[in-house]
Amino acid sequence: MKRKLILAAGLIATLSACGGGRGLMGRDRPDEFAVSRQAPLVVPPDFALVPPAPGTPAAASVDASQEAMQAMFGGPAQRSAAESGTLTQAGRADAAAGIRSQAGDPDTQVVNKGNTTRDIIAAPEGDGQDARAAVPQ
């Protein structure tokens, strides 16, 4: 009896998947005959190209990446009041205003200080009583 009940439930579940639809041929899809053609592109009648004026830079000589950076970031940022105050207290009020814009510049010269500087910075704090100096030979 239990076996017949399970078989009947399985048969009902299987047949329920077949109903309620229009099948493959009745599915919603775009009508290929309802597609309309777009009008061809037309040059406006008042469009006129003029040659570049003598002395103006050629369009190919403009650096696109520099122009994009200028458009996005607008050049060196102005200092905030907090930054100006900090620089004044540090005695460096005459520091270059656009230094942040120049830090990522590929032409900026960077010196690799090596592992010694990293070791000094990572050294534990102390009063210096146990410090030793060694001269490489």
Side-chain angles (χ1 to χ4, degrees):
M1 181 72 178
K2 192 174 187 183
R3 188 174 190 184
K4 288 183 183 181
L5 185 61
I6 293 174
L7 184 61
L11 184 62
I12 290 173
T14 304
L15 289 176
S16 67
C18 296
R22 292 179 283 182
L24 292 176
M25 300 306 288
R27 72 176 189 267
D28 293 332
R29 62 181 180 265
D31 184 10
E32 61 270 12
F33 297 108
V35 177
S36 63
R37 299 211 179 258
Q38 293 182 352
L41 296 176
V42 178
V43 177
D46 60 344
F47 184 75
L49 290 175
V50 293
T56 58
S61 67
V62 177
D63 186 16
S65 63
Q66 286 296 101
E67 201 170 272
M69 291 296 283
Q70 183 70 20
M72 287 193 300
F73 301 113
Q78 298 297 322
R79 288 189 182 137
S80 66
E83 186 180 5
S84 297
T86 304
L87 287 172
T88 302
Q89 287 179 357
R92 296 295 299 172
D94 59 341
I99 193 65
R100 290 183 180 168
S101 299
Q102 296 171 1
D105 186 20
D107 295 332
T108 301
Q109 299 296 320
V110 179
V111 178
N112 185 4
K113 301 287 184 175
N115 294 336
T116 305
T117 304
R118 187 192 69 217
D119 293 343
I120 291 171
I121 292 172
E125 288 187 27
D127 58 1
Q129 295 295 323
D130 299 326
R132 301 275 187 261
V135 178
Q137 300 181 7

